[in-house]
């Protein structure tokens, strides 16, 4: 009887003991990030630009950005047609043209008097020579060719009236046109593909190089750390913008791959310093010593044990690099060291817009500048919110 009572006392009651499971770092970070409205709005804008970049890269939108669909310097639709530029003010209305007989030039010919005297002397001698000389007749060798061209043009105009009507350029475009009549809105969308892709790819290259160098320098220390620190000091001693301009001038090759390599190979110094400091701090932690005790290799301790604990630093620096490299690509393309002429980017649009601005055509500058400012501002706000959300010091505070 006593044994049965003891057995029933020791038997599990079937009721679970309540316990709280501690969420991971990323779950806490997402909870903090989702509670920030500014971060969510910024994230939505950034994702919208990324979707636009993907759609443009696959050719679903803005694939015909270089098609001349409007008149030269076509104004935005909300401004109306530019009558002075020759665009009709209303559908079917012809542009105002000044007759040639009414045009009076204000340019003074300095040789006009001399030429008039020579004409007067020749005019006096002409009647006497006209009676003795036979009548001269000039023959145009291109008369037959011009007649055929004129006849074929009249025939095409009669038979292809519908085709000419469909190919007529629009007097206005939604956000205006450039000097060739290309749609500025489509150019802005296509330019986002170039600028954002260059920013992402260059940031990935710089982050990879900086993380690898920082991990090796911080983990091994001693002469390895000294060698990487010397290499870092050489790159960091040269002004960054001057460095990338010098490399671009030496290479003398325009293209997206060239810009990515220039920015990636010269912009790794910032993340190198941060990753090196994190590895110096974490290599002496207990979990790394425990991994060493069970026989884990150096590469496994570096990238399997330590790297997941500093990945938030790498992620924040990656997002910061994207913003910086987008602006750097715009600067390079604006100065003529970026993409070639057959590729459009926000920088090349701003380069064209500086000449158009003198003529009062401001819409290409406004479109490219607004798109770049919107993306860079949203990405910067999202990066700040992400850094605050991933900060381990915020762990355990209210709302975490």
């Amino acid at each position: 009887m006593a044994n049965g009572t003891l057995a029933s006392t020791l038997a599990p009651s079937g009721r679970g003991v309540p316990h709280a499971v501690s969420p991971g770092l990323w779950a806490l970070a997402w909870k903090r990030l989702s509670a920030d409205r500014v971060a969510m709005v910024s994230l939505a804008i950034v994702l919208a630009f990324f979707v636009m970049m993907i759609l443009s890269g696959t050719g679903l939108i803005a694939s015909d950005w270089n098609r001349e669909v409007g008149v030269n310097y076509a104004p935005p639709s909300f401004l109306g047609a530019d009558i002075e530029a020759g665009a009709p003010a209303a559908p079917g209305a012809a542009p105002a043209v000044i007759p040639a007989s009414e045009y009076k030039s204000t340019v003074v010919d300095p040789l006009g008097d001399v030429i008039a005297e020579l004409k007067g002397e020749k005019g006096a001698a002409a009647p006497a020579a006209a009676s003795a000389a036979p009548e001269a007749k000039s023959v145009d060798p291109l008369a037959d060719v011009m007649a055929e061209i004129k006849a074929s043009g009249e025939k095409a105009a009669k038979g292809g009236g519908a085709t000419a009507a469909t190919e007529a350029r629009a007097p206005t475009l939604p956000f205006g046109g450039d000097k060739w009549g290309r749609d500025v809105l489509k150019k802005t969308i296509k330019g986002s593909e170039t600028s954002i892709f260059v920013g992402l790819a260059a940031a990935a290259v710089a982050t990879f190089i900086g993380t690898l160098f920082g991990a090796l320098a911080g983990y091994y220390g001693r002469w390895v750390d000294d060698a990487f620190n010397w290499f870092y000091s050489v790159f960091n001693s040269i002004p960054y913008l001057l460095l990338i301009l010098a490399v671009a001038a030496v290479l003398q090759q325009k293209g997206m791959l060239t810009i990515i390599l220039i920015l990636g190979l010269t912009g790794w110094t910032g993340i190198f310093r941060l990753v090196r400091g994190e590895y110096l701090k974490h290599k002496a932690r207990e979990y790394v010593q425990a991994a060493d005790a069970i026989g884990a290799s150096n590469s496994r301790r570096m990238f399997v044990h330590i790297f997941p604990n500093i990945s938030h630093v790498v992620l924040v620096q990656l997002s910061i690099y994207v913003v910086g490299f987008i602006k750097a690509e715009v600067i390079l393309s604006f100065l003529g060291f970026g993409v070639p002429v057959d590729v459009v980017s926000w920088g090349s649009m701003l380069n064209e817009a500086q000449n158009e601005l003198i003529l009062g055509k401001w819409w290409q500058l406004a479109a490219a500048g607004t798109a770049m400012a919107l993306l860079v501002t949203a990405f910067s706000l999202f990066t700040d919110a992400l850094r605050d959300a991933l900060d381990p010091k915020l762990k355990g505070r209210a709302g975490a």
Side-chain angles (χ1 to χ4, degrees):
M1 187 68 180
N3 292 336
T5 304
L6 181 61
S8 61
T9 304
L10 296 177
S13 61
R15 293 179 298 176
V17 179
H19 62 282
V21 178
S22 177
L25 173 64
W26 298 105
L28 291 174
W30 173 251
K31 188 176 180 180
R32 296 190 192 100
L33 192 64
S34 59
D36 190 348
R37 294 183 179 179
V38 176
M40 289 293 99
V41 174
S42 302
L43 178 60
I45 295 175
V46 171
L47 291 179
F49 271 94
F50 284 172
V51 171
M52 184 172 63
M53 178 194 69
I54 295 173
L55 294 178
S56 176
T58 54
L60 296 178
I61 58 175
S63 59
D64 57 343
W65 65 271
N66 56 352
R67 183 182 176 187
E68 300 174 4
V69 295
V71 298
N72 298 343
Y73 300 115
S77 299
F78 54 85
L79 293 181
D82 189 1
I83 301 178
E84 295 181 358
V97 180
I98 300 175
S101 59
E102 298 180 5
Y103 177 77
K104 296 181 180 180
S105 176
T106 58
V107 180
V108 178
D109 188 2
L111 300 177
D113 298 336
V114 179
I115 295 175
E117 292 178 1
L118 294 176
K119 286 182 178 180
E121 294 177 358
K122 292 182 178 180
S131 58
E135 184 179 356
K137 184 178 181 181
S138 61
V139 180
D140 187 1
L142 299 178
D144 298 335
V145 178
M146 296 300 297
E148 292 180 1
I149 294 175
K150 185 176 180 180
S152 61
E154 293 177 355
K155 183 178 180 181
K158 293 179 180 179
T163 304
T166 56
E167 294 180 355
R169 297 189 180 186
T172 61
L173 293 172
F175 283 89
D178 61 0
K179 62 181 179 179
W180 306 109
R182 296 176 294 190
D183 194 347
V184 168
L185 178 60
K186 292 182 179 180
K187 286 184 66 176
T188 305
I189 296 175
K190 194 66 178 180
S192 68
E193 174 192 345
T194 303
S195 300
I196 297 175
F197 179 77
V198 168
L200 289 174
V205 173
T207 302
F208 175 77
I209 295 175
T211 302
L212 180 62
F213 287 178
L216 294 174
Y219 181 81
Y220 287 104
R222 304 181 66 179
W223 66 269
V224 177
D225 189 21
D226 294 337
F228 279 110
N229 277 327
W230 175 83
F231 194 46
Y232 159 79
S233 299
V234 171
F235 270 82
N236 204 38
S237 62
I238 305 175
Y240 177 66
L241 185 58
L242 180 61
L243 178 62
I244 61 177
L245 289 177
V247 175
V250 170
L251 293 179
Q252 289 294 329
Q253 291 183 355
K254 295 182 179 181
M256 294 178 61
L257 181 60
T258 304
I259 301 177
I260 291 171
L261 292 178
I262 290 174
L263 298 178
L265 295 178
T266 58
W268 54 270
T269 54
I271 193 171
F272 164 81
R273 183 179 66 252
L274 294 176
V275 172
R276 172 183 172 272
E278 292 293 327
Y279 268 83
L280 286 173
K281 180 175 63 176
H282 280 266
K283 71 177 183 179
R285 296 286 177 86
E286 291 78 5
Y287 70 93
V288 179
Q289 295 178 1
D292 185 20
I294 62 177
S297 62
N298 290 328
S299 60
R300 184 174 180 83
R301 276 177 278 171
M302 289 171 57
F303 300 109
V304 176
H305 295 279
I306 299 179
F307 181 75
N309 291 281
I310 68 167
S311 57
H312 61 283
V313 177
V314 176
L315 182 60
V316 171
Q317 288 299 309
L318 175 64
S319 59
I320 293 176
Y321 275 174
V322 172
V323 176
F325 288 156
I326 288 176
K327 295 188 290 186
E329 185 277 330
V330 171
I331 294 174
L332 284 176
S333 297
F334 177 79
L335 296 177
F337 295 101
V339 296
V341 293
D342 58 339
V343 179
V344 63
S345 73
W346 290 338
S348 62
M349 291 180 64
L350 294 176
N351 190 10
E352 294 179 9
Q354 66 177 342
N355 298 324
E356 298 176 358
L357 194 61
I358 301 176
L359 303 175
K361 317 300 181 181
W362 50 265
W363 35 88
Q364 184 166 201
L365 175 66
T370 302
M372 184 182 68
L374 183 61
L375 175 62
V376 170
T377 302
F379 221 127
S380 300
L381 293 175
F382 173 72
T383 300
D384 293 339
L386 182 65
R387 179 177 55 195
D388 295 338
L390 290 173
D391 191 352
K393 296 179 180 179
L394 297 177
K395 189 174 182 180
R397 292 186 182 179

